[in-house]
Amino acid sequence: MPDLRNASFKPTSTWYEDADTYWRAVPSSIGGMLGGLDQVHTPDIRDSRAFLTKLQSNPTLSLSTKYACDCGAGIGRVTKNLLLPLFDRVDLVEQNPDFLNEARSSYLEQEIQRVPDMFATGLQLFTPPQGRYD
């Protein structure tokens, strides 16, 4: 495994393919997303919410709460527990279409009207819609 902390590290197509292969073998569940843990870690969500709230309240940043983008969204656990309580709409970007199907049909079923777009692509290939996100 390459040292991702090394500034000279340059991902190759093989690196992305290996990641894709790994995630295709992971179950579309909270346990799958969290490596066997079956619950979202409450302190993680709490501290991430405090961080985002602090950024949103900073007048020099002028951040909107209209749209967020969950990058590497999996089945949408961060969208559901962190982003949707803070933003009007959240798009998901996830390379594994099975995860997006699980998000759409089950995990985010109650909130799906606030999830306008699900992009089934890796982040390395994703081009955000112009002007949508801060």
Side-chain angles (χ1 to χ4, degrees):
M1 181 77 154
D3 184 357
L4 304 180
R5 296 168 293 175
N6 184 333
S8 65
F9 171 73
K10 302 282 189 251
T12 63
S13 62
T14 302
W15 188 78
Y16 291 118
E17 290 166 7
D18 289 348
D20 184 51
T21 299
Y22 170 81
W23 285 109
R24 285 188 185 275
V26 171
S28 301
S29 65
I30 293 175
M33 302 299 98
L34 297 177
L37 299 174
D38 285 329
Q39 61 184 0
V40 174
H41 192 238
T42 303
D44 252 357
I45 296 297
R46 181 195 62 226
D47 292 346
S48 295
R49 184 175 291 130
F51 175 71
L52 287 175
T53 302
K54 187 173 183 174
L55 289 178
Q56 288 173 329
S57 67
N58 184 331
T60 61
L61 295 178
S62 165
L63 297 175
S64 165
T65 59
K66 288 185 179 185
Y67 258 105
C69 186
D70 188 348
C71 299
I75 62 169
R77 61 185 182 80
V78 171
T79 292
K80 183 175 190 156
N81 294 287
L82 175 64
L83 298 175
L84 283 172
L86 297 174
F87 295 89
D88 297 336
R89 300 186 191 300
V90 179
D91 289 340
L92 278 64
V93 179
E94 172 54 54
Q95 71 179 1
N96 186 330
D98 293 339
F99 295 167
L100 292 178
N101 290 335
E102 178 68 17
R104 184 180 294 107
S105 66
S106 181
Y107 197 72
L108 293 174
E109 185 178 22
Q110 299 300 311
E111 300 88 355
I112 201 65
Q113 71 280 1
R114 294 180 53 213
V115 181
D117 287 308
M118 293 187 180
F119 301 96
T121 187
L123 288 174
Q124 73 279 13
L125 301 174
F126 177 64
T127 302
Q130 189 170 2
R132 184 176 290 183
Y133 316 112
D134 292 334

